[in-house]
Amino acid sequence: MKAKFEEKLAQLAFGDLSPSDAKKLEIEAQSQQEARETLRLYREMRDGLRGMAEVPEDQFSKERLRDAILKQGLKPRPDRYASNRSWLWMPAVACALGFGLVYARHTILPKNVNPQIVMSKKSLMAPPLLAVHEPIRVADNTPSPANSFIGPIQSPLRKTRTFGYRHRPRHHLEPNEVSPNILAVKLDGDDLNPDFGGANSTIPTSPSASDVPPMVATAASTGPIVFIDQDKDEQTGAQKATEVGNASNVLVGG
Amino acid sequence: MGYDASLSGRMELDTDGALVKRARDGDYSAFEKLFDRHRTLVYRFAYQMTSRRDDAEDIVQEAFVRAYQNLHRYRDEAKFTTWLLRIVTNLCTDQARMSQRRSALEQQEAAGALDWMTSGETEDPVHNLEADRRSRALKKALNALPAHHKAVIVLRDIEEREYPDMAAILGCTVGGAKLRVLRARRALKERIAPLLGEERT
């Protein structure tokens, strides 16, 4: 017998079908021996279950319930208004944490963090790949706060590709301050600034970066390379930046 | 007019929702009224689920204690009896799981004791014997059902509750409740058929 048909028989036996459907199914079930037996069994079940509705009298009392409630201890009734306001601590804590992080970042960390890598003519010992993730600032011969900042869009200088070493926290630059992260810059030939004098020109940088210890840098590409020298320019007192032909001229590593 | 208004106001004060509100505010007598009103309903269901009076009474007690402690969770949109029966259903399911360790003999004795009390409706001894045999087989089969099937059978076929009410108690849709009833009846039939066959032989 199909399960669907058996379900219909159960519904018929327990009175869950409409009278018209029940009549049709009753006729259909009478013609099949198995269906007739199943229907009879379901009807016996229905009668037996309805006969089980009688239950013995309970012996329960209010005193017993009261004792049980008192024994288990009454939970304090929760303050609904307090529970509705309970979410407020979450944004408060988030704000406090955020403020604390920002404050700690500006106070604990030194303003001029030691540069990770600095180019130098004298010593060329550097990891092969450089990370530059601060805006590039190069001072020209007449440095001024207005033109000393060369951002990533307006500058003809482009950052070298970054392949890692993004571990230094950002800090804000003061005017005329050279980012210690500026290590190597690559010049594309077609957008060289003529003020820089083309290849092998010397570009003095900001004097405020003079305390940067000489370290190493290298270029990871074959394009023009600019070295920022430790030595100061005699006229301006700023560090020099010298453009070289390409990276093939540079000895990389110790 | 004034009489009608006062009567309706008094009836509103006696509704389950009003009593729950008073009980929430600390009026324990309101909760006792709720207990008096619904204890039989809860007891009947618990008894059908456990087949033992002492177990059923324990469940009733536990259900009302839990209801009192969780009155703040009761939402007024549901009927209080529905909410209460849901608590009882969960308690009975837990109790059924725990009592699986109980010996089958103990359950048979309980069923047999009830048979002595409930059988013997007619004067015909042959009919009494036959009714006794069927009733015993049915109880045995019902007690062997898993708790979720048993709860459905008790609610629909013994307590004769409507499907929407069952759906609210069981926490499902009306269609889901109908499906559960069908499955439970089929499971009961599969258990009772061999029992009747055994006793016939």
Side-chain angles (χ1 to χ4, degrees):
Chain A
M1 188 191 306
K2 287 182 180 176
K4 197 78 182 170
F5 186 58
E6 190 182 337
E7 282 178 11
K8 289 279 180 193
L9 289 176
Q11 287 176 322
L12 171 66
F14 283 89
D16 289 346
L17 286 181
S18 64
S20 59
D21 289 344
K23 198 172 180 180
K24 265 190 247 174
L25 194 63
E26 180 87 42
I27 294 167
E28 192 179 350
Q30 292 304 324
S31 62
Q32 299 175 31
Q33 171 71 19
E34 192 183 359
R36 221 168 33 234
E37 279 296 309
T38 306
L39 187 59
R40 187 186 58 77
L41 190 57
Y42 274 122
R43 281 183 171 151
E44 278 184 19
M45 272 171 51
R46 178 201 62 191
D47 294 339
L49 289 170
R50 286 184 184 165
M52 289 168 68
E54 289 181 14
V55 297
E57 198 70 25
D58 69 294
Q59 295 176 347
F60 214 80
S61 66
K62 288 179 188 174
E63 288 72 28
R64 183 176 163 185
L65 176 69
R66 188 177 298 176
D67 288 345
I69 287 176
L70 290 174
K71 191 178 175 185
Q72 296 207 9
L74 294 178
K75 285 182 185 172
R77 202 166 69 90
D79 183 2
R80 301 181 90 187
Y81 296 105
S83 62
N84 288 343
R85 287 194 304 266
S86 61
W87 58 271
L88 282 175
W89 67 270
M90 285 185 276
V93 168
C95 286
L97 278 176
F99 178 77
L101 279 175
V102 170
Y103 182 76
R105 206 167 158 189
H106 284 284
T107 55
I108 296 172
L109 292 177
K111 208 159 191 181
N112 290 322
V113 181
N114 285 335
Q116 294 166 327
I117 306 167
V118 173
M119 295 184 89
S120 173
K121 282 181 183 176
K122 296 175 182 175
S123 58
L124 290 172
M125 296 182 299
L129 300 176
L130 299 178
V132 179
H133 45 83
E134 287 288 344
I136 300 169
R137 304 177 74 254
V138 177
D140 59 13
N141 287 329
T142 54
S144 68
N147 62 5
S148 63
F149 181 85
I150 303 174
I153 297 171
Q154 67 192 30
S155 170
L157 303 177
R158 291 188 181 170
K159 296 174 182 180
T160 53
R161 286 183 181 274
T162 301
F163 294 101
Y165 302 104
R166 284 183 175 269
H167 49 73
R168 184 190 165 274
R170 234 174 237 274
H171 79 282
H172 298 290
L173 294 174
E174 297 295 330
N176 288 330
E177 179 189 354
V178 173
S179 167
N181 272 3
I182 300 172
L183 311 177
V185 288
K186 171 189 167 199
L187 287 173
D188 284 346
D190 53 353
D191 54 5
L192 280 175
N193 191 337
D195 293 339
F196 292 159
N200 293 325
S201 62
T202 301
I203 305 168
T205 56
S206 170
S208 62
S210 59
D211 53 348
V212 174
M215 288 179 68
V216 179
T218 153
S221 69
T222 57
I225 300 294
V226 174
F227 285 151
I228 300 171
D229 201 338
Q230 180 76 13
D231 300 329
K232 294 178 181 176
D233 185 64
E234 292 175 0
Q235 294 177 352
T236 63
Q239 283 182 291
K240 293 177 185 174
T242 305
E243 182 183 349
V244 297
N246 55 45
S248 61
N249 297 335
V250 181
L251 175 63
V252 178
Chain B
M1 186 76 179
Y3 175 76
D4 287 347
S6 67
L7 186 66
S8 65
R10 198 170 146 193
M11 283 174 70
E12 279 178 13
L13 282 177
D14 283 348
T15 59
D16 285 352
L19 289 175
V20 168
K21 192 171 181 301
R22 280 169 53 197
R24 270 187 199 147
D25 293 338
D27 183 359
Y28 185 75
S29 65
F31 188 73
E32 281 188 336
K33 274 189 184 175
L34 284 170
F35 171 72
D36 276 340
R37 191 177 288 176
H38 302 302
R39 62 190 249 192
T40 309
L41 171 81
V42 175
Y43 171 73
R44 285 177 62 86
F45 181 75
Y47 181 81
Q48 300 294 354
M49 288 295 290
T50 58
S51 301
R52 291 170 61 99
R53 197 176 66 188
D54 52 350
D55 282 352
E57 286 179 355
D58 287 346
I59 284 174
V60 172
Q61 174 179 306
E62 181 63 23
F64 275 98
V65 169
R66 284 197 188 184
Y68 186 74
Q69 289 174 338
N70 294 287
L71 271 181
H72 60 280
R73 291 186 186 170
Y74 167 66
R75 299 284 172 262
D76 293 336
E77 58 263 25
K79 281 168 69 179
F80 180 72
T81 50
T82 303
W83 183 66
L84 195 59
L85 278 177
R86 185 182 281 198
I87 294 174
V88 181
T89 306
N90 292 335
L91 283 172
C92 289
T93 307
D94 292 345
Q95 199 264 354
R97 283 181 193 141
M98 284 190 295
S99 67
Q100 280 177 351
R101 298 169 195 160
R102 192 178 288 171
S103 66
L105 181 63
E106 198 178 15
Q107 291 216 1
Q108 281 178 5
E109 281 174 0
L114 186 68
D115 288 344
W116 279 106
M117 289 189 285
T118 55
S119 62
E121 291 170 353
T122 62
E123 298 287 327
D124 184 2
V126 177
H127 186 273
N128 283 352
L129 276 175
E130 180 66 14
D132 178 42
R133 182 182 67 82
R134 290 181 187 283
S135 174
R136 196 180 304 161
L138 188 59
K139 282 191 180 72
K140 201 172 173 182
L142 191 61
N143 287 332
L145 276 182
H148 61 281
H149 281 332
K150 195 174 177 182
V152 168
I153 292 282
V154 169
L155 284 171
R156 177 66 190 167
D157 295 332
I158 300 178
E159 296 297 318
E160 299 182 0
R161 294 209 154 255
E162 296 298 325
Y163 282 115
D165 201 11
M166 284 182 65
I169 292 167
L170 299 171
C172 62
T173 61
V174 174
K178 288 181 178 175
L179 193 63
R180 288 188 194 195
V181 168
L182 282 175
R183 285 178 183 162
R185 282 174 183 162
R186 195 187 303 160
L188 183 63
K189 181 219 150 200
E190 284 168 6
R191 279 173 171 78
I192 199 173
L195 290 176
L196 289 175
E198 278 171 19
E199 295 196 10
R200 274 187 188 132
T201 55

